C-alpha cells in the first residue's frame, strides 16, 4: 500500500507507489505527464 499526500500536487511514496500512479493518470484523464524520481525519492 502506497502513502498518498495531497498539497498543491499529489505525491505517492512508499511500497506500491508506482502501481498507484497509473490509476491516478487514468482517473485524471492525463494525456501527458512528467514523472520525476531518483534513488532517494
Amino acid at each position: 500500500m502506497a502513502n498518498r499526500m495531497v498539497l498543491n500536487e499529489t505525491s505517492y511514496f512508499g511500497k506500491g507507489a508506482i502501481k498507484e500512479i497509473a490509476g491516478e493518470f487514468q482517473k485524471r484523464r492525463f494525456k501527458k505527464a512528467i514523472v520525476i524520481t531518483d534513488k532517494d525519492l
Side-chain angles (χ1 to χ4, degrees):
M1 180 178 156
N3 297 308
R4 180 178 178 192
M5 181 183 294
V6 179
L7 299 170
N8 291 335
E9 300 172 14
T10 304
S11 300
Y12 285 91
F13 54 94
K15 187 175 182 177
I18 293 172
K19 291 180 183 178
E20 296 290 330
I21 292 171
E24 188 73 25
F25 285 2
Q26 292 173 351
K27 183 173 75 175
R28 294 179 185 230
R29 298 182 180 173
F30 288 157
K31 295 187 186 290
K32 295 181 180 180
I34 183 169
V35 177
I36 302 170
T37 188
D38 66 15
K39 66 179 182 174
D40 294 327
L41 291 175

